Amino acid sequence: MQPQKVLRPISSYERYEDPADTEIFPPGKIFRISYSICVGKARIRCLNERDLEDIRRCYSEENKNAFFLKLHGYAVSGRNYMVNQFGYFPIGFTLEILRYIKLRYGSLSQVAFSDGFRRLLDERVVPLKKMLGEVKPKDFDVLCVSDDSGVNERNESSGEKTFGFRSYQRDAIRNLLVGGWGRGIIEVGTSGGKTFILCNLIYNIWKQINRNARVLVLVPNKQLVYQMRNDFLEYGLREDCMTIFTRHSRGDLPYDASRNLIIANRQYVFTNMKLLPPIDVLVCDEVHTATAEKTQNCIRAIDPILKFGCTGSMPGDRFERWKLNAEFGNVVYSKPVGELQRDGFVSKMKLTQISVVDPNVDGNRDLLFNVYSRRKYSPDENGYSEVAFNEAHDAEHEYCEKYYRDLYKPVIEYVGKFESNTLLLFGRIEMGKNLSELARELLPERKVYYIDGSVPVKNRLEITNCMETSERNVLFAEFATFSTGISVKNLTNLVFIGDTKSLVRCLQSIGRTLRLHKDKDYARIIDVSFKDFKYSQRHLRERLMIYREHYGKVPDEKLVFTI
């Protein structure tokens, strides 16, 4: 296949504007879809207003935050809608709308498109359709950068590791380019080699689509910028084609805007958008974290022609998934972590459930946060019980922070028995600091590390490098800085200390331990909860459901520690 000379066919969306004098409903048509440059969205108009309401209702989801927002005086809707009351919706959601119409009415013959919108579909929603339309996915030959660059030949001669495609990695690249036609998300379980997939995706775009395409890779944080750059170099991508766009502790790092590959963290791009050159291809790593409005506005401002996302776990909330689909397209390939474990590509796991019993709380029904509390919650004048969701929740956290030494001492002593490396993840920084100090006191023979958002990237890399090359390390890390993307192969034990229930956070955190390593037989997940603590038990139930549904696991052992 010959590389194309032009990837960016247009400079603006103006040519897609629907002329004012265009006939809205031609004969035999009951739907019309057009584009409005004023709103920056597509619009569907229906001959029958009830059809629009049906579409809106189909693509709506309960607003789970409405209850808490109303508690604080915000006027919010009880449902989130992908299509607003005037029929406007994100351009990337067009194929989903058309899929609904086809299923409901049997065909798309009743849909009229403005001329501008037809061009928009070709050039923005399926940008590679015309370019690669004659190629079938099975016939698309995926090239390996490690072979072509000579890395594998050099590594093989020196006895080092070579890099080759697993079958699903090759299929993922094919589906992104030919199946999604320039749009799409791949969902490959954590430790399934997503970075290798992305590296070869970019390489194949340059080799088979456009050799001059400028690619921006967005990652969630600064530490992952360096990690991804080093991985790309290891796989064989040339250093002179890539540059880093981020901030160093001493100021902004110089970067070469003429390079074809730019690796950046989102926070830096948000505040330095004007420094970016025109981008042809956007690759968003850990795309499940890109649902925030600020992130999506940034992606629209970058305005790439090709957009790809990858993640180890799509959000469980349907509305969050729809928002990602509207920006990046549908999931075009999926390889769940259970299949990776079955095929031997990631470690098996052992689940240990620890229940800590505090006699001062166990059975004490006078405590507000006790599961069986005698205190009843009375709704306020608006019908909401602030006591239930504020006082009880805060009381439990305050108790845990006050008596953390007693509550967590048996857990840390238990963890200290393992000879392999251990990661303990926390959500509250003050609690994390306290527990790391307690671990240094109880485990004087161990190296105990601590990482939160304030720790410089250089220090984080030094800690992870130390864990890769040695054993008996204990690391306390904040969820926000360590649960996503960080790669430490020599990590065996993961401890949830009881303050999370997020599906994505749990899956991403477990993924830190699933990477294969010669000294690791299996990953050990240790789940800590407190008996009769209202919210600790609620979060435990949701985590147990995640273990069962996504890994087919129930606890291999249950331990009870009484303080």
Side-chain angles (χ1 to χ4, degrees):
M1 184 184 305
Q2 294 297 319
Q4 303 295 314
K5 293 183 179 180
V6 178
L7 182 63
R8 178 172 288 273
I10 58 172
S11 59
S12 74
Y13 278 85
E14 293 180 5
R15 64 184 290 194
Y16 304 131
E17 179 69 278
D18 187 22
D21 59 349
T22 301
E23 185 179 5
I24 294 181
F25 296 108
K29 307 295 183 181
I30 62 175
F31 299 101
R32 178 175 179 77
I33 302 180
S34 58
Y35 171 73
S36 172
I37 194 172
C38 296
V39 181
K41 291 186 176 182
R43 184 182 187 186
I44 183 169
R45 281 172 277 194
C46 306
L47 196 59
N48 188 331
E49 290 185 3
R50 284 188 300 179
D51 287 333
L52 177 59
E53 289 305 312
D54 288 343
I55 293 173
R56 295 189 68 227
R57 185 162 49 251
C58 178
Y59 294 108
S60 69
E61 190 75 0
E62 178 187 359
N63 185 354
K64 296 180 180 179
N65 295 322
F67 180 86
F68 300 98
L69 291 172
K70 288 177 180 178
L71 284 179
H72 294 86
Y74 293 95
V76 295
S77 171
R79 298 192 71 80
N80 290 317
Y81 294 88
M82 286 300 296
V83 183
N84 73 10
Q85 64 268 38
F86 303 109
Y88 289 105
F89 60 91
I91 298 164
F93 207 62
T94 302
L95 297 182
E96 189 64 38
I97 298 292
L98 295 178
R99 184 178 293 109
Y100 168 84
I101 294 174
K102 186 173 183 179
L103 288 174
R104 179 77 182 270
Y105 297 94
S107 74
L108 297 177
S109 60
Q110 302 177 33
V111 182
F113 300 96
S114 69
D115 292 338
F117 193 78
R118 286 186 181 277
R119 292 195 301 272
L120 184 147
L121 282 176
D122 289 338
E123 298 173 0
R124 291 288 178 157
V125 179
V126 285
L128 295 182
K129 180 80 172 172
K130 289 183 177 179
M131 192 180 299
L132 302 176
E134 300 300 322
V135 180
K136 297 180 180 179
K138 64 179 181 179
D139 298 329
F140 188 85
D141 186 23
V142 180
L143 307 176
C144 180
V145 63
S146 303
D147 289 335
D148 295 352
S149 64
V151 165
N152 280 344
E153 183 180 357
R154 184 171 61 251
N155 286 3
E156 187 175 9
S157 62
S158 60
E160 297 181 17
K161 179 183 177 182
T162 59
F163 304 100
F165 284 121
R166 299 167 182 171
S167 60
Y168 67 86
Q169 294 173 332
R170 197 185 297 271
D171 291 341
I173 296 173
R174 284 196 185 105
N175 285 12
L176 285 173
L177 294 176
V178 184
W181 306 115
R183 289 282 192 279
I185 298 172
I186 56 170
E187 184 179 16
V188 177
T190 305
S191 302
K194 293 189 297 295
T195 304
F196 186 67
I197 293 174
L198 296 186
C199 181
N200 281 280
L201 171 68
I202 295 167
Y203 181 71
N204 278 272
I205 289 173
W206 286 340
K207 285 291 185 179
Q208 306 201 61
I209 308 296
N210 188 301
R211 65 170 63 90
N212 298 315
R214 182 176 281 116
V215 183
L216 172 64
V217 179
L218 277 183
V219 297
N221 58 60
K222 186 164 55 175
Q223 184 174 351
L224 292 179
V225 171
Y226 294 94
Q227 180 175 297
M228 180 158 288
R229 174 184 177 275
N230 293 337
D231 287 343
F232 280 5
L233 291 175
E234 184 180 8
Y235 297 144
L237 215 57
R238 296 198 330 270
E239 186 170 12
D240 60 3
C241 75
M242 73 175 80
T243 186
I244 282 178
F245 186 59
T246 188
R247 184 174 180 82
H248 191 266
S249 57
R250 297 181 180 178
D252 296 346
L253 286 173
Y255 90 106
D256 188 347
S258 66
R259 299 284 178 88
N260 282 350
L261 173 59
I262 301 170
I263 305 174
N265 57 307
R266 294 175 201 162
Q267 298 85 346
Y268 192 72
V269 171
F270 291 160
T271 55
N272 294 275
M273 182 76 71
K274 61 182 182 297
L275 300 179
L276 281 176
I279 300 298
D280 300 307
V281 183
L282 174 68
V283 177
C284 188
D285 189 25
E286 309 295 352
V287 74
H288 62 273
T289 63
T291 58
E293 184 176 358
K294 185 175 182 180
T295 303
Q296 299 215 324
N297 289 338
C298 173
I299 291 170
R300 296 185 192 111
I302 293 171
D303 189 26
I305 298 300
L306 309 183
K307 287 195 286 189
F308 306 105
C310 75
T311 179
S313 47
M314 288 288 283
D317 183 85
R318 282 203 307 170
F319 188 72
E320 297 291 295
R321 293 201 303 271
W322 287 336
K323 288 199 295 183
L324 292 178
N325 296 152
E327 286 302 321
F328 294 93
N330 294 327
V331 175
V332 296
Y333 189 82
S334 179
K335 185 73 171 178
V337 68
E339 292 185 17
L340 293 173
Q341 287 182 319
R342 181 197 64 197
D343 297 339
F345 294 127
V346 300
S347 296
K348 299 290 193 295
M349 60 182 281
K350 179 179 180 180
L351 178 60
T352 299
Q353 179 185 338
I354 293 179
S355 180
V356 178
V357 179
D358 183 347
N360 295 322
V361 177
D362 185 30
N364 187 349
R365 299 180 63 186
D366 292 326
L367 289 173
L368 188 62
F369 59 87
N370 188 289
V371 174
Y372 307 104
S373 176
R374 291 190 181 91
R375 296 187 57 177
K376 303 299 180 183
Y377 305 121
S378 302
D380 59 15
E381 64 274 11
N382 297 318
Y384 302 107
S385 176
E386 293 193 26
V387 173
F389 290 96
N390 291 332
E391 291 185 25
H393 184 268
D394 292 344
E396 183 170 320
H397 274 293
E398 289 171 4
Y399 186 91
C400 291
E401 290 177 356
K402 182 176 181 181
Y403 298 104
Y404 73 92
R405 293 183 63 89
D406 296 330
L407 292 172
Y408 287 99
K409 180 180 178 181
V411 175
I412 293 176
E413 289 177 338
Y414 174 75
V415 167
K417 299 176 181 178
F418 301 126
E419 296 296 319
S420 49
N421 290 328
T422 301
L423 170 65
L424 297 96
L425 290 171
F426 59 85
R428 298 198 172 200
I429 291 179
E430 190 62 32
M431 175 66 79
K433 290 180 177 179
N434 289 338
L435 292 180
S436 64
E437 291 301 321
L438 178 61
R440 291 188 179 97
E441 176 184 330
L442 297 176
L443 309 174
E445 76 286 357
R446 295 294 186 91
K447 289 184 178 179
V448 178
Y449 300 102
Y450 172 85
I451 291 178
D452 64 20
S454 65
V455 176
V457 171
K458 179 182 177 181
N459 293 359
R460 300 183 203 177
L461 293 174
E462 290 174 352
I463 292 172
T464 55
N465 289 336
C466 179
M467 295 184 70
E468 284 284 21
T469 57
S470 62
E471 300 286 355
R472 295 172 56 81
N473 299 292
V474 178
L475 170 60
F476 288 84
E478 185 186 8
F479 273 114
T481 60
F482 219 86
S483 65
T484 298
I486 305 300
S487 176
V488 181
K489 296 183 178 66
N490 191 21
L491 178 61
T492 302
N493 311 306
L494 170 69
V495 182
F496 288 118
I497 60 175
D499 59 351
T500 188
K501 60 177 181 176
S502 163
L503 168 66
V504 171
R505 179 174 281 184
C506 285
L507 295 180
Q508 291 289 328
S509 300
I510 291 172
R512 300 314 105 214
T513 67
L514 295 183
R515 287 171 169 80
L516 296 174
H517 189 269
K518 60 183 178 62
D519 296 327
K520 180 166 58 178
D521 296 325
Y522 56 83
R524 182 185 288 109
I525 310 301
I526 302 168
D527 191 293
V528 179
S529 63
F530 303 108
K531 185 176 183 295
D532 286 349
F533 283 47
K534 185 183 188 72
Y535 294 96
S536 179
Q537 290 300 303
R538 179 179 297 179
H539 293 179
L540 170 65
R541 289 194 296 271
E542 300 212 19
R543 290 196 301 274
L544 290 175
M545 187 181 301
I546 292 171
Y547 303 141
R548 184 171 61 252
E549 291 182 355
H550 291 269
Y551 299 97
K553 291 292 295 183
V554 295
D556 295 288
E557 61 176 345
K558 295 183 179 181
L559 304 177
V560 178
F561 296 149
T562 302
I563 64 175

